[in-house]
Amino acid sequence: MKLVVLESPNKVEKVSHYLGAGYKVLATAGHFRDLPDDAMGVDTKTWTPTFTINPKKKDLVDRIKAAAAGAEEVLLASDADREGEAISWHLAQVLGLKKPMRLKYTEITEKALKEAITRLVPLDQNLADAQLCRRIQDRLIGYEVSPKLTPYFGKGASAGRVQSATLHLVVAREIEREQFKPVPYWTLASKYQNGLVARYASLNDKGELVDTRLTTSAEAEAIATRARAATHTVSSVATKPVERKPKAPFTTSTLQQAASSQLGFKPDQTMKLAQALFERGAISYHRTDSVALSEDAITLARDFITADYPKALPAQPVRYKVKGDAQGAHEAIRPTSLDPATVAELQGDEAALYDLIRRRFLACQSKPAVFDQTTVTITAGDTIWRAVGAVVQFDGFLHYLTDSEDQEDNADEPRLPRVANGEVLSLADITVAAKTTKPPPRFTQATLVREMERTGIGRPSTYATTVTTLFDRTYIAEEKKDLYPTPRGRGVDTFLARGLPELLDTDLTAQMEARLDAIADGQARLKPELQAWWSTFEPKLRMAPQAFEAEAKNHPALAAEAAARLGTPTDKVCPQCQKPLLLRTRKDAKGQFLSCSGYPVCNYAANPAARSAGKPCPRCGKDLNVLPRKSGDGEYLACSGYPACDYKADATAKAYEKPCPKCSGPMEQVANKAGVPYARCVKKDCGGLIDLAPAVAETCPVCASSMTDKGDFLSCTKYPACKGSYDKKGLAKSRKNNWTCPKCAKPLMERKSAKGAFLGCSAYPVCKHITPLPSTVRNTSR
């Protein structure tokens, strides 16, 4: 039996199925070994790291060790990128593999996996070293810089190699917007009786006719006055074919941008969905900056286009040039199959993202679209006016793209009315529009990712996580998709600009990424690179506290804010570990909370408005607290042992004398939103209930059992075994109108569907009779 060790547990079943008998498949569930949480873990003299196994994954690692001990061969099959190579390297270290072999694949299909089994490759130590170098650099920056920011920005303040440079992009854009001084300008448009609209134009330095902005209102009005008095004659009508080529297949960055523009997905959401699609075997690996396609993929697309829309098939396959620093071993993101059954298996957001990937994949292997671009030039006295429009003559790749995938493509040229050279046009109006220049737009999450890629900050696997980290640190916030730096984010950026400006320099950050690429390519070595970097960074690090202290004098309010984040001592003690409780400010500065001074060893937290209920938690025996509801409507009980015990109940909850009918454990009496009482088991996973609602003189329409009054509705006493119920208002309306089912004589109730209202039997699903709602009721409902 051969052992195959994957990265994701979600792949195990599919990979096991494809490999068949003779292979046992296990997964590490991502990274399982890392630098320690409570220490630096890096000796900067020898550059020897210390790694520890995640305690939560110890049992899992033990199972892999046991399986490896009895296997004839161990194949390391984590993802085919730096992170995946590093996971395989850690596995090889833990399992003591002398010649670790990699099973590398970029899609989870039977063909790809069986081919990969026949061409096993040795573990790529260079690639693993590149990830190790990145991890050590990030650890040193995080552990050395973050504590130096804490006195000024409180707990949770941090800096990072990619994080800080990305934050600086957002801050610099905001400063640019604040310093922007709008400049007024005026534009002119002539509108004609035939519907044609033309813009005032003039010749530029190159002799080209372009739309013109005017710098004064007087000049614009003078031109408009002369043009209104003149005859408007078509001086030329030029039509030429224009090709628009399809874009390359998706990379990680372009997928995140397109998913944001087309589907409204945030980058981290896109990556989670793409991960799920990859694990399903629906798409190729989704962390890539390559636009290359394999020959099999090109054949897949061309075969589909040949059968579906042969006119769009180019004579030769379309191949896209891969930029120099792209991951050459990877393909672009593409479907692994174009079988309609694949689409049928997907639902919701997964289906939407798959369709986006599928359409871009087919479009990239189709012919360009051809437009007839028409330019109409009009003379009126000494003024010139220009209208440009286009008509699609051949859709080509647009056959697969029903919508534009990029915002900049949304402004398509209009279709122009037919005019002839020399034709005199009837002027309807000339409008003068006063405008001002606009500041550069704020980044969205998608455009920030694009800027990260353009400037060389980070790599595909880090884009989404970096943006998420900036939100978690409350360095940036979002308003209608636009990102802006918070005061805390601007403060951190200001301090780093004074004390450690290299962390904000996108060029230097990109150069660090390039050095990591050099290690991955075998052109540089791990320890010499770390030593060279540290020898220049460490002296600056020693000087940073002085620079931070000098900057703090310019921001006297920081000390008070940092103290609030670090916590103010209280006279209360933690109910879990008996250490003092601190009063801390929330990350979003919206309120405060009590937190154990022993954090992160003890993660107890509580609302400072909590008061003792004077009775024990029925689930764990610890004290109960009374807390106000966020809505301000009433109070509720919560265990002081949270999060270890997550018991919650309405403040009116009290012990119930009868045992649970499911587990014979203790029960408590509570009430629903309508104030109707019921008893529930206090055990977390039991779910035992006793209905205490008052009985009514109605029988269940489904099973004829008795019913109880739950406030707005009547419920069968056999719930949840029987889900028969009546909406009280609906039942009264049914009785008033004498709506009775002709099949079973039960009341007919008004129901609603996507097609409108109708009457349905209250005994559903036993009786499925439906009938249209009477027209008199439909009319009054409107």
Side-chain angles (χ1 to χ4, degrees), residues 163 456 572 579 594 608 612-613 649 658 686 725 743:
Q163 171 200 140
K572 299 179 180 179
K579 289 186 177 180
L594 289 172
S612 175
K658 294 182 180 180
C686 176
S725 66
K743 291 185 177 180

Side-chain angles (χ1 to χ4, degrees), residues 699-704 726 731 734-735 739-749 760-764 766-767:
T699 56
C700 173
V702 177
C703 70
Y726 280 123
L731 180 61
S734 175
R735 296 260 166 84
W739 291 337
T740 304
C741 177
K743 291 185 177 180
C744 67
K746 297 288 195 314
L748 290 175
M749 306 290 285
C761 184
S762 57
Y764 181 87
V766 174
C767 177

